[in-house]
Amino acid sequence: MSIKLHGVSAGYSGFMLRDISLTITKGSFTALIGPNGCGKSTLLNTIARVLPTRAGTIHIGGRNIATARTKEIARTVTVLPQNPVVPPAISVEQLVHYGRAPHQNLLGMRSQADHDAVENALHTTSLTDLRRRPLAELSGGQRQRAFIAMCLAQDTPYLLFDEPTSFLDIRYQYETLDLLADLQSTGRTCVVVLHDIAQAARYADNLVVMRDGAIQAQGRPADVVTPEMLSQIYDLQAKVFSDPVSCTPALSPVSAGRLSNLNEHIQTSQSLENPDAREVAVRFH
Amino acid sequence: MTTGGWQHRGVPAGLLLITLFASGAAASLATGGRSDVGLSALLGVFGAEPKSLAQSVMFDIRLPRTLVAVFIGINLAMAGLILQAVTRNPLASPSILGVNQGAALGMVLALFFPAMSGSAVGVFAVTGALTAGALTFAIAGGFQGELNSLRLILGGVAVGAFACALVRFSFTLDDDLSRQVVRWTSGNIADMRWHDVGPLAGLSITGLIATVLLSHRLNLMALGEASATGLGTDPRITLLFGAVLAAILTGASVAVAGPVAFVGLVVPHMCRLVFGPDHRILVPAAALGGATLMVLADFASKWVIAPFETPVGVIAALIGAPYFLYQTLVAKDLE
């Protein structure tokens, strides 16, 4: 019972995923990281069968998604797209109810189980008070939470989220990731595209690093997040250290333009044997 | 703030719409060339044999005509509602996407072959509607899965203009034929008889049931292709079913009454403002709204310059165009 990709090629005409083989174990928290345009979103959407597979096979929970019914996949996997279309005028509650569609009949008739799942999802995302508000009136962060609530209402064992923390301020970023971690602890499998490598390393137990439509590295964050990887994948010179709170890898770039000036400044100051220079430079920054 | 307040408006607005429809239908039935024939002639019209003259006028002339107006209203409102939902474009409608004009061209082609009659003409109209719709979709990139809103509208206008030009070209060919085409392209239902009602009613009712079954899928389409897929409905299937259904409904109404513009655009809009965005409510509401607009237009067409008739298509445009202008200039939901 896991997500298994074997020799998968997929993507748009101008961009292709090349020969991807990947196993995501059940109950894991997998973060897909990599530079812009590396194919993270394409991979996520291919697993959810939002995009067609051109070669290779994808099995989710032992079921080949190429032959499964769309509704059957939707009861197994929920997908939060990167830029969900915001339907004008519909309320938060209606949106969250749409998450129940795969469990409902053709007309979307609501059962008690549907109501319970929606209440639960609204509560979990702290949207109970906003339930009657139209989506168009919400802030970007509230809207993102509404879409997350829709995915929660779908109540699937596998969750695929494409940059769920974008548009969110830092508090809600961590709340969202904590929520995903909670869901993982109830036995669900989370696959999440993240931009922030430190966040990815903090929450995921499995990192998949992509570049140019292929997987470059995979493994535990402590093994994967290294200065060598950052330099090879992101062309970024950075120091990697242990996050003082989570004890997971965090990083600080050393080559960015402004900071390199600072480093020069620090070096110059140090050469002048001024012990306070480093602190001054940091405060100045 | 609650969602626009339409949860509370729904029931009274529905009752108002039903009342409006009933009065419109009554006015349409009560008005006609013979002012001595009133609604009272409707009493016992189905059982009475032999019929009085007034009953005959009511049964043979007015009833089929009003029913045709009802079904055309339903067809065009459904077609507009479906097209707006599957393209996620509030401007989409049979006339804007060129589907109406395509059906008209198909119909004109059918008129060229004297052997064509009855349902064969309908088949031509539906084929024209499907072809025009498919062309517009192709221009907008709909078959590559990347439907571009602006190109959809511009493509529709181009396809519509081209079909319209060919229809006009037929005016120059043969006097008899061109008179027929002119009369018919202005949207005229004055000569409707029972044999026109049957097939139209069958298609309308089937189409309405199909749209009701499609309604929740139309809701999910509003979330975009990715989310719709993620929620277990293949958007390509919704798009295909919806577009074909819209073309058939449009073709069927054009085959009977000629192209009637604006009903398919305006009715879904008004209904969304009043009843909210849920298609499970919108589908019956828009069907009733379309029928109401058309019976009112039919009444007006008999009444405005009585005893002469104004084609119902002209009246529908006279009602629809100002509303559309108001929407464009004042209301915000066109984005």
Side-chain angles (χ1 to χ4, degrees), chain B residues 13-335:
Chain B
L15 292 175
L16 183 71
L17 191 55
I18 290 170
T19 317
L20 208 59
F21 171 71
S23 354
S28 160
L29 286 173
T31 319
R34 294 179 58 107
S35 53
D36 57 315
V37 179
L39 270 184
S40 55
L42 199 56
L43 295 170
V45 79
F46 291 101
E49 212 55 66
K51 291 179 171 63
S52 69
L53 184 61
Q55 279 176 330
S56 293
V57 168
M58 180 56 75
F59 186 77
D60 294 332
I61 298 176
R62 296 208 188 153
L63 211 50
R65 174 175 174 163
T66 302
L67 282 173
V68 164
V70 166
F71 290 122
I72 286 172
I74 292 176
N75 277 11
L76 292 176
M78 286 303 98
L81 188 67
I82 295 169
L83 289 174
Q84 288 172 16
V86 297
T87 61
R88 280 194 301 282
N89 192 323
L91 284 174
S93 73
S95 44
I96 301 275
L97 298 190
V99 177
N100 241 338
Q101 297 88 324
L105 180 58
M107 181 88 182
V108 168
L109 287 178
L111 291 178
F112 273 100
F113 305 101
M116 294 289 166
S117 66
S119 56
V121 175
V123 171
F124 263 70
V126 170
T127 310
L130 279 171
T131 312
L135 257 175
T136 304
F137 265 74
I139 293 170
F143 292 115
Q144 282 90 51
E146 313 231 330
L147 199 64
N148 178 303
S149 289
L150 188 62
R151 271 163 64 183
L152 183 74
I153 301 302
L154 294 179
V157 169
V159 169
F162 181 69
C164 218
L166 288 182
V167 170
R168 292 238 176 89
F169 178 63
S170 71
F171 295 176
T172 63
L173 293 178
D174 175 276
D175 264 3
D176 265 358
L177 203 62
S178 65
R179 230 189 322 274
Q180 218 178 332
V181 173
V182 169
R183 224 170 93 69
W184 166 81
T185 49
S186 55
N188 198 326
I189 59 168
D191 308 322
M192 295 298 124
R193 294 295 181 267
W194 280 106
H195 62 82
D196 298 304
V197 178
L200 181 65
L203 267 174
S204 275
I205 292 164
T206 317
L208 186 57
I209 293 169
T211 317
V212 167
L213 294 177
L214 207 60
S215 58
H216 197 47
R217 276 177 161 267
L218 297 180
N219 282 341
L220 300 178
M221 276 304 266
L223 300 173
E225 321 253 310
S227 289
T229 312
L231 292 172
T233 56
D234 191 333
R236 292 167 303 177
I237 292 175
T238 315
L239 183 66
L240 183 70
F241 266 104
V244 169
L245 189 56
I248 291 175
L249 288 173
T250 306
S253 83
V254 169
V256 172
V260 176
F262 284 109
V263 177
L265 181 64
V266 167
V267 170
H269 260 268
M270 286 171 138
C271 289
R272 248 196 305 275
L273 284 183
V274 178
F275 295 96
D278 189 341
H279 285 83
R280 290 167 292 186
I281 297 163
L282 269 178
V283 168
L288 191 57
T292 305
L293 185 65
M294 282 302 290
V295 289
L296 287 173
D298 182 52
F299 160 66
S301 78
K302 293 192 250 188
W303 175 74
V304 172
I305 49 167
F308 303 105
E309 293 238 358
T310 322
V312 72
V314 174
I315 301 288
L318 283 178
I319 300 174
Y323 174 79
F324 182 54
L325 190 63
Y326 157 79
Q327 266 291 327
T328 314
L329 297 179
V330 182
K332 280 177 286 184
D333 84 320
L334 281 180
E335 288 174 42

Side-chain angles (χ1 to χ4, degrees), chain A residues 70-262:
Chain A
T70 311
K71 204 163 178 174
E72 200 180 323
I73 296 176
R75 282 193 287 255
T76 316
V77 181
T78 183
V79 57
L80 175 73
Q82 195 171 359
N83 293 307
V85 177
V86 180
I90 86 163
S91 70
V92 171
E93 190 174 357
Q94 272 174 311
L95 180 76
V96 180
H97 263 294
Y98 287 170
R100 296 301 295 169
H103 305 277
Q104 293 169 330
N105 64 8
L106 195 60
L107 288 177
M109 309 260 195
R110 295 170 184 181
S111 69
Q112 191 55 44
D114 294 334
H115 283 285
D116 294 344
V118 167
E119 286 310 312
N120 203 6
L122 286 171
H123 178 76
T124 314
T125 48
S126 324
L127 286 169
T128 312
D129 293 339
L130 298 175
R131 62 194 305 157
R132 300 207 189 286
R133 292 272 292 274
L135 282 182
E137 276 181 20
L138 302 184
S139 72
Q142 291 168 332
R143 213 179 281 168
Q144 182 77 336
R145 273 154 59 209
F147 279 100
I148 291 172
M150 182 182 86
C151 291
L152 296 186
Q154 206 173 330
D155 193 22
T156 56
Y158 297 89
L159 299 107
L160 309 184
F161 282 17
D162 196 350
E163 291 187 36
T165 52
S166 52
F167 312 116
L168 298 180
D169 65 37
I170 191 142
R171 181 188 145 207
Y172 282 122
Q173 286 186 18
Y174 282 98
E175 275 194 20
T176 302
L177 292 166
D178 282 337
L179 176 63
L180 288 173
D182 286 347
L183 291 166
Q184 185 204 1
S185 68
T186 62
R188 289 167 217 263
T189 312
C190 301
V191 184
V192 185
V193 173
L194 287 172
H195 259 303
D196 188 317
I197 297 168
Q199 277 181 350
R202 179 172 180 146
Y203 283 92
D205 46 32
N206 180 31
L207 283 189
V208 174
V209 185
M210 295 185 68
R211 183 171 175 165
D212 301 330
I215 292 174
Q216 307 290 347
Q218 190 196 352
R220 294 190 307 122
D223 301 332
V224 170
V225 181
T226 59
E228 295 73 40
M229 182 279 279
L230 293 167
S231 141
Q232 277 168 23
I233 304 294
Y234 290 91
D235 298 319
L236 179 80
Q237 306 306 315
K239 291 212 152 110
V240 174
F241 54 93
S242 177
D243 182 288
V245 177
S246 62
C247 299
T248 50
L251 58 103
S252 185
V254 292
S255 65
R258 188 167 170 189
L259 212 56
S260 61
N261 293 339
L262 276 178

Side-chain angles (χ1 to χ4, degrees), chain A residues 1-5 22-30 32 43-44 47 59 158 160 189-191 206 208 218:
Chain A
M1 295 292 121
S2 55
I3 301 178
K4 278 203 177 81
L5 286 79
L22 173 69
T23 300
I24 295 169
T25 46
K26 189 171 163 59
S28 69
F29 191 127
T30 299
L32 305 181
L43 178 60
L44 198 78
I47 297 174
H59 287 83
Y158 297 89
L160 309 184
T189 312
C190 301
V191 184
N206 180 31
V208 174
Q218 190 196 352

